[in-house]
Amino acid sequence: MIAQKQMAMQRVAAKPVLTPTRTMGRKAVIVQADKDRNSPIQSNLLGSFSSQIDEVKPVSRVEESRKYFRTVYDFPQWEKHRKSTRLIDRLLSITQSHIMGNIAPSLLWVGGISGLLVAYMAAYDGGILPDVMPSFATNAAAAVFISNTSVALSLLLVFRTNSSYGRWDEARKMWGGLLNRSRDIMRQGATLFPEEDIEAKKALARWTIAFSRALRIHFQPEVLLENELVGILKPNELRMLRAAPHRPVQAMHALSQVIQNTVTDPIHQMQMSQNLTFYQDVLGGCERLLRAPIPVSYTRHTGRFLFLWLTVLPFSLYPSLGAWTIPTVVAVTAVLCGIEEIGVQCEEPFGILPLAVICNRIQADVENTLKDDMKLKEVLYESMNRANQPTIANPHEYKKELVTSVNGTAKANIFW
């Protein structure tokens, strides 16, 4: 009996505990070892928090405002961007700025400190306060602190912003490369796959789109996988992808199987597999950016330094500005905290990148390549005076399957 009790206690001790964790404004549950902090987390940590969710939960106002930073420019917007009155337009639209909205608590804090200081000195100069109370008419300590630390604060903010922009630029380049590689792999499939193997081309198109959508949800958990891929993947494929522990990896595996089972030439297989290797690099690079922020000690020190500097600033400016200390300090705070806020927003780039637009572009280009494949080959063979036309068992059926038809309001599915 004693031995059985000991064995039961060991089994209970060996079981992992569920530790509630909050991340990105959403409550999640991770399976973590009870005592060993370095033990591996069961299942994929990143996937559990993002692409594996089964419902989209509401987020805070600050997180919601990040969607408005996802700008995609065309020629009219660039023309507006270069307008000669752009500075006046930007100033007049400051009330609509989401950056200003995000730093509002800091503005209220510094404005409140400045207002209390001005009110205190007005009461002191009016003789309302007793003589034992201190006067801030001159404050050499505050003036020395501000003058001797301004350069250091500027360097910290510049480095912070530059590092954050570098992360945003790296993420944007990776997603731009993903768009190019998706076009390339579909072009290769349309060219290298056997002409009669229509289903293989459709499968390649389906899973190319599925990978980009799954990757987007992996880093922007704002929509459900079913809503993004309904009508693209077959029902059984969608169920398989939904149940996968890591959905982008599963989509890449499916693409690899399609290529392996269709392309017979090893050189062509290697060429197409290079695009999948790039997919893998994009996935790993994006996960690295999400998991590894700028060293938090640097971020925290910059925030504490900036907060202290702005709190001391009114005491340094009051002897020279008097009541004008309030608007001056608020304006300085808006500039410095705005710079710091931009750095914070760019540090995690996926919330402000237009990933949905990139995925839509990938889907449109893949669809067009799939639909125009046969027509393109017919025109080129005719214009090149080729005697050997593409060998297809039933070319009319081939056209019928690859060309989108519209019947009333229902659009035929070209993927399956």
Side-chain angles (χ1 to χ4, degrees):
M1 293 293 294
I2 296 177
Q4 293 178 353
K5 290 183 178 180
Q6 291 177 346
M7 293 176 62
M9 293 176 63
Q10 291 175 356
R11 286 195 298 268
V12 171
K15 290 182 178 180
V17 297
L18 295 180
T19 305
T21 304
R22 186 169 296 276
T23 179
M24 293 189 300
R26 300 173 178 84
K27 191 173 183 181
V29 176
I30 60 175
V31 181
Q32 193 173 13
D34 189 11
K35 294 182 179 180
D36 188 3
R37 298 179 60 185
N38 296 320
S39 61
I41 295 175
Q42 306 302 317
S43 79
N44 178 265
L45 174 63
L46 184 66
S48 299
F49 286 172
S50 54
S51 67
Q52 307 306 113
I53 62 173
D54 293 325
E55 61 177 337
V56 178
K57 297 181 180 180
V59 296
S60 64
R61 183 198 62 81
V62 175
E63 290 298 314
E64 186 69 21
S65 68
R66 302 193 75 202
K67 297 180 181 179
Y68 296 96
F69 297 119
R70 301 172 188 174
T71 53
V72 179
Y73 269 36
D74 52 17
F75 290 110
Q77 287 176 306
W78 277 115
E79 183 179 353
K80 182 180 179 181
H81 188 74
R82 296 188 292 263
K83 284 179 59 177
S84 58
T85 59
R86 60 185 180 275
L87 298 181
I88 299 176
D89 295 339
R90 299 293 183 268
L91 182 61
L92 295 178
S93 63
I94 193 171
T95 56
Q96 304 173 9
S97 171
H98 295 283
I99 293 293
M100 292 295 111
N102 293 343
I103 66 173
S106 300
L107 296 177
L108 292 175
W109 167 262
V110 176
I113 293 293
S114 303
L116 290 176
L117 175 62
V118 171
Y120 175 89
M121 289 306 300
Y124 184 88
D125 295 338
I128 301 176
L129 299 179
D131 295 336
V132 295
M133 300 296 291
S135 172
F136 297 102
T138 58
N139 196 325
V144 170
F145 175 81
I146 294 298
S147 61
N148 284 276
T149 58
S150 298
V151 175
L153 179 62
S154 300
L155 292 176
L156 284 173
L157 290 177
V158 168
F159 179 81
R160 178 82 168 80
T161 306
N162 287 345
S163 299
S164 298
Y165 174 77
R167 293 167 60 88
W168 177 90
D169 187 54
E170 183 181 1
R172 181 61 185 88
K173 288 178 179 177
M174 284 192 291
W175 275 85
L178 178 69
L179 171 60
N180 295 338
R181 294 289 183 143
S182 298
R183 291 167 173 165
D184 189 48
I185 198 171
M186 192 62 220
R187 175 194 60 81
Q188 290 173 333
T191 305
L192 302 178
F193 283 11
E195 296 293 345
E196 66 278 2
D197 201 346
I198 304 172
E199 292 303 321
K201 295 182 180 181
K202 290 183 177 182
L204 182 68
R206 290 198 303 270
W207 284 105
T208 300
I209 297 171
F211 172 74
S212 64
R213 296 289 183 182
L215 188 65
R216 181 245 170 155
I217 298 174
H218 205 52
F219 299 103
Q220 284 184 356
E222 304 166 353
V223 292
L224 297 179
L225 186 73
E226 293 83 350
N227 297 338
E228 289 288 283
L229 294 178
V230 63
I232 297 177
L233 290 182
K234 293 182 178 181
N236 61 331
E237 293 175 333
L238 184 56
R239 288 193 298 269
M240 178 188 69
L241 184 61
R242 187 176 181 275
H246 198 299
R247 291 168 180 170
V249 171
Q250 183 83 336
M252 280 189 293
H253 190 190
L255 281 169
S256 181
Q257 290 297 320
V258 171
I259 296 171
Q260 178 67 27
N261 296 328
T262 307
V263 180
T264 57
D265 192 322
I267 296 179
H268 293 163
Q269 282 187 359
M270 181 183 66
Q271 290 173 341
M272 297 189 72
S273 295
Q274 288 176 352
N275 287 322
L276 298 186
T277 301
F278 183 84
Y279 283 178
Q280 190 79 43
D281 293 339
V282 170
L283 173 60
C286 291
E287 287 184 343
R288 170 178 51 82
L289 290 177
L290 184 63
R291 290 189 173 195
I294 295 174
V296 292
S297 58
Y298 184 91
T299 302
R300 291 170 182 169
H301 180 71
T302 303
R304 292 163 183 160
F305 185 14
L306 177 60
F307 185 81
L308 176 62
W309 194 91
L310 292 174
T311 302
V312 175
L313 182 61
F315 298 91
S316 174
L317 296 182
Y318 179 80
S320 302
L321 301 179
W324 285 97
T325 300
I326 299 175
T328 304
V329 170
V330 170
V332 172
T333 302
V335 173
L336 297 182
C337 288
I339 295 173
E340 197 268 345
E341 176 67 18
I342 292 172
V344 170
Q345 295 295 332
C346 293
E347 183 181 5
E348 191 275 277
F350 305 106
I352 60 176
L353 282 175
L355 303 187
V357 176
I358 298 176
C359 290
N360 292 338
R361 185 70 264 166
I362 291 175
Q363 180 171 339
D365 291 343
V366 168
E367 286 182 1
N368 292 332
T369 302
L370 183 64
K371 290 189 298 184
D372 299 339
D373 179 42
M374 185 57 191
K375 180 180 179 181
L376 174 67
K377 291 177 180 178
E378 284 185 347
V379 172
L380 287 179
Y381 270 80
E382 181 181 355
S383 63
M384 295 168 64
N385 295 322
R386 297 294 187 184
N388 297 325
Q389 299 291 329
T391 303
I392 302 175
N394 193 339
H396 297 289
E397 284 296 321
Y398 185 90
K399 294 181 189 178
K400 182 179 178 181
E401 290 194 45
L402 289 186
V403 176
T404 301
S405 61
V406 178
N407 183 10
T409 58
K411 187 176 182 180
N413 191 324
I414 69 169
F415 296 111
W416 42 279

